[in-house]
Amino acid sequence: MKVISELYINGKWQTPTADHTLTVINPATQVPCATVSLSNKGDVESAILAAREAFKGWSMTPAKDRAVLMNAVADEMENRYDDLVDAHVMTMGCPKKITGAFHVDCPIEAMRYYAKLALQMEEVEEKGSVLIYKEAVGVCAFINPWNYPLHQLIGKVAPALAAGCTVVTKPAEQTPLADLIMAEIFHKVGLPAGVFNLVFGHGSEIGPILSGHPQVDMVSFTGSTVAGIEVAKAAAPTVKRVCQELGGKSAYIITEDADIAAAVRYGVEDVMGNTGQTCNALTRMLVPSRCYQQVADLAISIAQEQVVGDPLNEATTMGPMSSKRQKEAVLKYIREGVAEGAQLLVGGTDMPGGVDKGFYVKPTIFSRVTSDMVIAREEIFGPVLCILTYDCLQEAIDIANDSEYGLSSGVFAKDKVSALNIARQLRAGQCYVQGSYFSIDAPFGGYKQSGNGREWGAEGMSEYIETKAVICG
Ligand code: NAD
């Protein structure tokens, strides 16, 4: 069992001043896999003050030197690739064979991507007598969820370091290992002391300290909408910049003239990936009434292709839910869907065949779902797909937009041109057209209650930049 007994503050490994620990459970075996010593208020404040002190030097370090260090971090992430994979397998139950592709490759690419963008920080725009500079926002506090631990961390840290910001980060309680490895990597490559600081703790306890501290200039939060609102409230009195990356209930429109087989396969696999614990999963599939039976038959057979089980087994495509709490939340929604009158096409609340322990949930598909049902409105965050039907395209667009969320969306139509016409009418921060996948170049973030910031792409770095105008006489 891994024992994490130290925090990483001001370039040093430090024992927390409090004597509280939490236990991390391997969700596939239900056996403890790590203990973590938790930070108290004093530890968090030391980390913030270290970041404040380090900001003076790091923000003034030439961008090319910051880029050199960031590329060294990427090299070291490659050296620690297997450790990063194991961290996800152990704490999330992600199938080992696909963990690198799902969780590690993109963060390494992102470190190099933002190292390149760092150089743009030194571009000065001249408009007559006005000079416009880009400057770093300052000390940033990061609070992350457990569903893509490394991806979420690097999506914030890489653009922040590139811009010249310093960082205090708090991972989710369930997934501290990837962050720990990253702290070891930053230490090894010689990132200056205080530029990256790592604390551990419960969100409800140390989250408000990070969000409310007057020496923090910006807080970037990824997680549930409920906690995101708390973060924004705590940050308001000090007028911090707040970036919220929150939940979703994304719609996916399949048109009658689309390649139905390809469209349904893409949609079902999208929802089942990462055991359904993906904020931008296309969990509401909207299909023409006339194609319903064809879609239902295809969806059942694609869900049944999933191999649910031991993450260490090469054939496994779907592991357990990340925690007992998450499994119980998903089962509650499945029971609710049945009670609301949706038709359970496949899956349900029983343990999948072949496993007798672990927080597993069967790949589950509901049809005959209507927009007013709880399972169509709330984020389930598990391998549960809802199929809704529509009679005309405008009805599909209206159903898609009838949500408090607006994180992502998808369209599979006859061709790209028809799909783009629909995509522009969907109120969501992203739209995946004709079966496309995540791109590091694509700004990622929500409309409505899915959030207000952007990560990834050049826009993801803008979040960490202040604009200074110097007007010359
Ligand atoms: P969560 O909100 O419970 O926890 C996320 C993080 O917030 C954890 O580190 C937790 O400790 C912390 N936290 C909890 N209460 C807090 C508070 N009052 N103040 C400050 N921090 C607090 O969410 P979760 O269950 O870990 O993650 C799942 C949610 O995250 C889903 O809703 C999912 O859609 C969302 N998510 C969004 C994105 C995105 O980019 N939009 C990406 C991944 C996950």
Side-chain angles (χ1 to χ4, degrees):
M1 182 154 81
K2 181 98 186 152
V3 177
I4 306 173
S5 58
E6 292 177 317
L7 316 167
Y8 187 66
I9 296 176
N10 205 19
K12 296 190 192 74
W13 296 99
Q14 299 188 10
T15 307
T17 44
D19 189 19
H20 303 307
T21 56
L22 69 77
T23 303
V24 181
I25 307 288
N26 179 328
T29 60
Q30 297 184 222
V31 171
C33 62
T35 60
V36 188
S37 295
L38 302 182
S39 319
N40 71 3
K41 186 169 185 234
D43 301 318
V44 178
E45 284 179 343
S46 315
I48 293 169
L49 295 181
R52 169 58 57 207
E53 189 57 30
F55 179 70
K56 295 173 198 158
W58 183 247
S59 58
M60 291 296 150
T61 301
K64 68 174 179 10
D65 297 345
R66 291 202 299 270
V68 167
L69 272 168
M70 290 177 67
N71 283 320
V73 170
D75 292 344
E76 193 54 23
M77 288 170 80
E78 269 162 13
N79 293 338
R80 299 284 305 268
Y81 193 90
D82 292 346
D83 294 339
L84 288 166
V85 165
D86 288 345
H88 291 79
V89 175
M90 219 196 294
T91 58
M92 293 185 61
C94 188
K96 185 161 182 160
K97 197 164 178 208
I98 56 175
T99 299
F102 252 81
H103 291 280
V104 184
D105 292 348
C106 171
I108 297 175
E109 185 191 346
M111 210 28 102
R112 299 195 198 285
Y113 179 94
Y114 285 108
K116 250 190 223 150
L117 288 192
L119 305 178
Q120 293 180 3
M121 289 301 292
E122 286 170 5
E123 290 168 3
V124 183
E125 198 182 336
E126 259 187 86
K127 288 187 173 170
S129 61
V130 177
L131 302 176
I132 301 170
Y133 293 89
K134 294 188 179 80
E135 295 188 351
V137 161
V139 174
C140 301
F142 297 154
I143 302 174
N144 273 321
W146 42 263
N147 60 329
Y148 284 89
L150 185 66
H151 185 90
Q152 300 301 342
L153 174 68
I154 301 302
K156 293 174 168 50
V157 167
L161 295 183
C165 294
T166 57
V167 168
V168 180
T169 194
K170 185 202 95 61
E173 293 84 325
Q174 301 89 327
T175 52
L177 296 185
D179 293 60
L180 178 75
I181 294 168
M182 285 311 303
E184 290 168 357
I185 289 173
F186 287 130
H187 190 74
K188 181 162 185 199
V189 305
L191 198 72
V195 172
F196 176 88
N197 304 275
L198 173 63
V199 294
F200 298 108
H202 293 291
S204 54
E205 289 166 16
I206 67 172
I209 306 169
L210 288 166
S211 320
H213 200 285
Q215 292 294 342
V216 170
D217 300 294
M218 169 184 179
V219 55
S220 179
F221 172 86
T222 301
S224 60
T225 298
V226 171
I229 291 168
E230 290 306 311
V231 166
K233 281 185 191 163
T238 45
V239 200
K240 289 185 205 326
R241 187 175 289 196
V242 179
C243 178
Q244 292 162 304
E245 301 285 344
L246 309 176
K249 190 74 193 178
S250 302
Y252 171 44
I253 298 178
I254 300 176
T255 63
E256 197 172 347
D257 51 5
D259 175 343
I260 299 285
V264 175
R265 173 165 294 283
Y266 170 79
V268 174
E269 290 178 349
D270 176 79
V271 171
M272 302 305 163
N274 209 33
T275 321
Q277 303 162 121
T278 301
C279 51
N280 62 340
L282 303 172
T283 50
R284 291 185 294 146
M285 181 185 279
L286 312 190
V287 303
S289 303
R290 279 186 293 273
C291 305
Y292 166 72
Q293 199 53 53
Q294 185 192 2
V295 169
D297 293 345
L298 281 164
I300 293 170
S301 71
I302 296 163
Q304 286 170 340
E305 288 171 14
Q306 291 289 334
V307 183
V308 183
D310 183 355
L312 301 178
N313 183 336
E314 291 250 308
T316 299
T317 58
M318 188 191 286
M321 307 301 306
S322 294
S323 65
K324 183 168 184 234
R325 187 187 74 162
Q326 195 58 29
K327 172 177 174 163
E328 283 169 357
V330 172
L331 294 187
K332 186 166 162 279
Y333 277 115
I334 295 176
R335 282 191 286 269
E336 189 137 16
V338 172
E340 288 180 303
Q343 186 179 342
L344 187 62
L345 286 182
V346 65
T349 52
D350 299 338
M351 271 295 250
V355 288
D356 56 5
K357 59 177 180 316
F359 306 132
Y360 290 94
V361 173
K362 283 180 166 176
T364 296
I365 301 181
F366 280 108
S367 69
R368 308 288 182 205
V369 177
T370 52
S371 229
D372 56 336
M373 290 182 183
V374 169
I375 57 167
R377 305 207 71 79
E378 296 185 11
E379 185 182 45
I380 299 175
F381 224 53
V384 182
L385 172 66
C386 294
I387 301 178
L388 297 84
T389 53
Y390 67 86
D391 291 325
C392 69
L393 198 51
Q394 187 55 51
E395 186 189 359
I397 292 165
D398 291 344
I399 295 172
N401 289 336
D402 178 18
S403 173
E404 285 172 3
Y405 293 114
L407 186 56
S408 189
S409 59
V411 180
F412 212 122
K414 179 170 165 245
D415 52 33
K416 183 173 149 189
V417 173
S418 346
L420 286 177
N421 180 36
I422 301 168
R424 291 302 308 275
Q425 299 179 65
L426 300 178
R427 299 289 301 158
Q430 286 202 326
C431 188
Y432 290 83
V433 157
Q434 305 300 88
S436 56
Y437 294 98
F438 177 87
S439 161
I440 202 169
D441 277 317
F444 184 105
Y447 286 15
K448 302 190 263 183
Q449 291 187 29
S450 288
N452 60 10
R454 290 293 177 270
E455 291 186 337
W456 307 106
E459 287 77 0
M461 190 157 137
S462 304
E463 301 282 342
Y464 299 95
I465 298 173
E466 289 280 20
T467 302
K468 177 178 279 176
V470 175
I471 304 101
C472 305

